[in-house]
Amino acid sequence: MAQQPLPSSVQPTTDMYGGDEVSALVLDPGYSTTRAGYAGEDRPKQVVPSFYGKINYDNGTRDIFGDEVIYPRANFERPNYMNRDSVVEDWDAATRLWEHVLIKRLQPARATPAIRNGLNDRGKNDENGDVDMGEGIEEQEEGEKPLAESPLLVTEAPWNTTKNREKAIEIAMESWGAPAFWLNKTPVLAAFAAGKSTALVVDVGCANASVVAVHDGMVLKRSIQRSPVAGSWLSGQIRSMWDSSDPKVEVVPTFMVENKKPVEAGQPAEARLKKFDFVVPESFRAFEEERLLTEFKESVVEVWRGPGKFQGPNEDFVKSQVGRVFEMPDGYNQMWREQRFKVAEGMWDETAAYPPLGGGEEGRVQKGQTIPALIKASLEGVDADLRANLVGNIVVTGASTLLNGFNDRLHMELTAMYPGLRIKIHAAGLSSERRFGAWIGGSILASLGTFHQMWISKKEYEENGAGIVEKRCK
Ligand SMILES: Nc1ncnc2c1ncn2[C@@H]1O[C@H](COP(=O)(O)OP(=O)(O)OP(=O)(O)O)[C@@H](O)[C@H]1O
């Protein structure tokens, strides 16, 4: 698909489909959140955690989508429907979460009773009284097609599997009756959102960091590089840092705190913690801890901008500077100086990373996994003639790139790696544009008048089957 470069200020037009004015839907599933909304809008209307809630009963389960439930229960887990490759693992949960955002939340009038009530709500004796679904799964009524009027564009990781791609079109067409469907790779869309059809896209999300070259709107397969050195890995680094601090910092998420008293910096917390007469499920606690870790990333962590690496004289210099204070939910607070830079340094220099908690290999940064190493390997995978154009069009996307100093450091590393080339980094200034780059690209693409001839139509699907995605969505 050859896409024309768009200026980033381009205003998408409303899509015309089948003669009627309809807004297509755009769905962007990520490991940490799933984003959904209408094409033509500048941000997704729905952003829900991909870690959904699952309440286990003796006679079934009930799933909860969205961010509402923050109180723990013995039987309340928070699984993710995606795996750490950022591809769907649990299709049953994926389908229901997508129905929740695309239909129940975005267009409730179209929700079938089954979707309105939650297709898999099987609980019947919730002690909190907030479930009353009767027994068994409510079947969707024959012939009801909740997306019968909405073309659907879904984003995917460049390494998505054929099986998963086919499953996505099957659900859209068969279960929801979508009149048209399209799958697009996230780097292409992030480049598109930046007004480019050729770019080197650096995406640092939650489970994955990736570097992918996009040329004329197509992913160059041999350029695809990825590693786990992203948001979730950084959370692990913060945990290691807190654990090795003196005094050791306990990770106490908000839901555990009954009340707290103010304490001086560095003094033990004076808080009363809630007592639960059950074991709080691990996945619930991990999810709540992640909120705290993200807050710490937003307000304390910073990437060393250079010059040079952080370790050595730079670290000594920062030790003498004023740092940032962070207060934990239990009131413990302290000033973070050099550690707040050190904790992100492993993204750039594997020798600077904290050893993972527990001492295992999982979470340890390997040499080829840092952001500069991914970029180098990615560019080595493309024709030498293309490299100058790519480093002149670097698009930075993904919420982990919102770390303070990220772009400056990236620029410094690239200048050192490619001294003869002109380096230009495009990183949206608005944090929502950085967070939702791929979604925004999908929103622009799906609302272009010229795009409606690209969609895979229902007729085409019926004639060719699910294999059509491999042929059409390159
Ligand atoms: N302001 C911020 N500074 C640093 N990190 C942040 C900030 N806001 C969110 N994050 C981190 O960004 C990650 C989420 O990024 P993003 O939403 O791009 O990922 P995703 O698309 O869901 O995941 P993936 O791309 O791995 O499938 C989380 O790890 C979160 O802690």
Side-chain angles (χ1 to χ4, degrees):
M1 179 185 50
Q3 292 159 2
Q4 294 307 308
L6 282 177
S8 50
S9 59
V10 75
Q11 282 302 310
T13 53
T14 311
D15 186 38
M16 302 283 289
Y17 190 78
D20 293 325
E21 253 189 46
V22 289
S23 250
L25 294 169
V26 179
L27 176 72
D28 177 29
Y31 184 76
S32 71
T33 57
T34 297
R35 288 76 58 159
Y38 290 106
E41 297 193 349
D42 60 5
R43 56 181 297 164
K45 271 207 161 60
Q46 294 295 326
V47 180
V48 301
S50 300
F51 290 86
Y52 62 101
K54 182 184 268 309
I55 306 179
N56 298 304
Y57 300 95
D58 290 344
N59 56 351
T61 60
R62 177 184 183 231
D63 295 336
I64 298 172
F65 304 113
D67 222 353
E68 300 89 11
V69 183
I70 52 158
Y71 52 90
R73 306 180 197 176
N75 56 354
F76 186 45
E77 303 275 353
R78 273 216 102 129
N80 197 323
Y81 73 90
M82 299 197 102
N83 63 24
R84 289 199 154 263
D85 291 332
S86 301
V87 301
V88 174
E89 181 153 282
D90 179 346
W91 275 102
D92 187 37
T95 310
R96 283 177 290 107
L97 189 142
W98 293 354
E99 280 171 350
H100 179 85
V101 288
L102 290 171
I103 304 161
K104 189 171 169 179
R105 284 205 179 171
L106 283 180
Q107 29 197 6
R110 294 194 189 281
T112 60
I115 291 173
R116 219 172 3 257
N117 297 327
L119 207 54
N120 196 37
D121 287 354
R122 285 177 270 191
K124 59 170 194 165
N125 48 4
D126 178 0
E127 65 279 18
N128 286 304
D130 55 359
V131 183
D132 183 17
M133 293 302 306
E135 279 185 74
I137 306 171
E138 278 195 45
E139 292 299 337
Q140 196 156 329
E141 285 161 36
E142 188 84 20
E144 278 181 318
K145 298 294 180 194
L147 285 194
E149 289 172 34
S150 312
L152 175 66
L153 185 150
V154 181
T155 75
E156 59 172 352
W159 48 85
N160 198 10
T161 62
T162 302
K163 206 167 136 236
N164 270 12
R165 307 183 87 209
E166 293 182 351
K167 185 79 184 161
I169 192 170
E170 248 171 58
I171 290 168
M173 293 283 181
E174 314 255 345
S175 308
W176 303 335
F181 179 83
W182 192 252
L183 261 185
N184 224 133
K185 297 182 179 16
T186 50
V188 175
L189 294 173
F192 203 56
K196 295 176 191 296
S197 59
T198 294
L200 187 72
V201 180
V202 177
D203 179 356
V204 190
C206 183
N208 286 284
S210 64
V211 178
V212 175
V214 176
H215 187 71
D216 276 346
M218 300 284 287
V219 158
L220 300 181
K221 284 213 172 74
R222 289 181 44 224
S223 74
I224 300 173
Q225 294 292 329
R226 69 175 168 123
S227 89
V229 176
S232 178
W233 167 84
L234 182 57
S235 297
Q237 289 286 290
I238 299 170
R239 285 174 189 275
S240 294
M241 178 179 89
W242 284 349
D243 188 71
S244 60
S245 285
D246 186 17
K248 176 175 162 168
V249 178
E250 299 294 339
V251 190
V252 183
T254 306
F255 81 87
M256 292 182 63
V257 180
E258 178 93 57
N259 58 42
K260 63 177 174 186
K261 286 195 188 130
V263 293
E264 292 291 315
Q267 294 307 304
E270 287 184 35
R272 185 150 43 144
L273 299 187
K274 285 190 185 139
K275 290 208 165 52
F276 301 104
D277 55 6
F278 53 86
V279 178
V280 175
E282 186 85 14
S283 62
F284 179 93
R285 184 171 171 140
F287 182 81
E288 295 301 322
E289 288 180 1
E290 205 54 46
R291 291 185 207 266
L292 173 62
L293 290 153
T294 296
E295 228 182 281
F296 189 79
K297 289 180 205 176
E298 283 170 353
S299 55
V300 177
V301 177
E302 192 157 334
V303 172
W304 176 251
R305 292 169 165 81
K309 307 270 183 228
F310 182 60
Q311 281 170 313
N314 289 326
E315 184 169 350
D316 295 337
F317 165 73
V318 171
K319 278 183 188 163
S320 65
Q321 301 294 301
V322 179
R324 298 248 172 96
V325 175
F326 187 78
E327 184 177 318
M328 304 293 270
D330 64 2
Y332 175 79
N333 66 93
Q334 77 162 77
M335 174 92 81
W336 298 94
R337 290 190 174 85
E338 74 283 2
Q339 308 96 322
R340 71 194 188 91
F341 291 94
K342 197 171 170 210
V343 79
E345 188 65 9
M347 272 187 169
W348 313 93
D349 170 7
E350 72 283 354
T351 65
Y354 283 86
L357 265 187
E361 277 311 300
E362 207 187 321
R364 195 177 292 279
V365 192
Q366 311 295 334
K367 200 169 177 0
Q369 292 183 328
T370 62
I371 308 288
L374 293 178
I375 294 176
K376 188 161 179 283
S378 176
L379 287 171
E380 278 167 7
V382 304
D383 262 13
D385 318 353
L386 297 177
R387 289 181 198 151
N389 194 17
L390 289 171
V391 297
N393 286 286
I394 292 182
V395 169
V396 168
T397 189
S400 293
T401 67
L402 290 169
L403 283 172
N404 276 318
F406 185 95
N407 295 323
D408 291 337
R409 177 62 175 269
L410 182 62
H411 195 270
M412 185 197 86
E413 296 283 346
L414 286 167
T415 312
M417 270 157 49
Y418 304 104
L421 299 179
R422 181 180 146 273
I423 295 176
K424 187 135 196 292
I425 295 177
H426 182 287
L430 267 182
S431 74
S432 62
E433 289 183 14
R434 202 88 70 76
R435 269 173 212 285
F436 307 132
W439 187 91
I440 293 169
S443 169
I444 295 173
L445 189 62
S447 61
L448 289 176
T450 48
F451 187 65
H452 85 264
Q453 63 222 37
M454 291 294 305
W455 295 100
I456 298 171
S457 68
K458 190 163 187 56
K459 187 159 168 282
E460 225 181 323
Y461 170 78
E462 282 165 359
E463 283 167 8
N464 296 275
I468 188 74
V469 277
E470 284 293 300
K471 291 201 193 94
R472 293 283 313 281
C473 307
K474 297 285 187 198

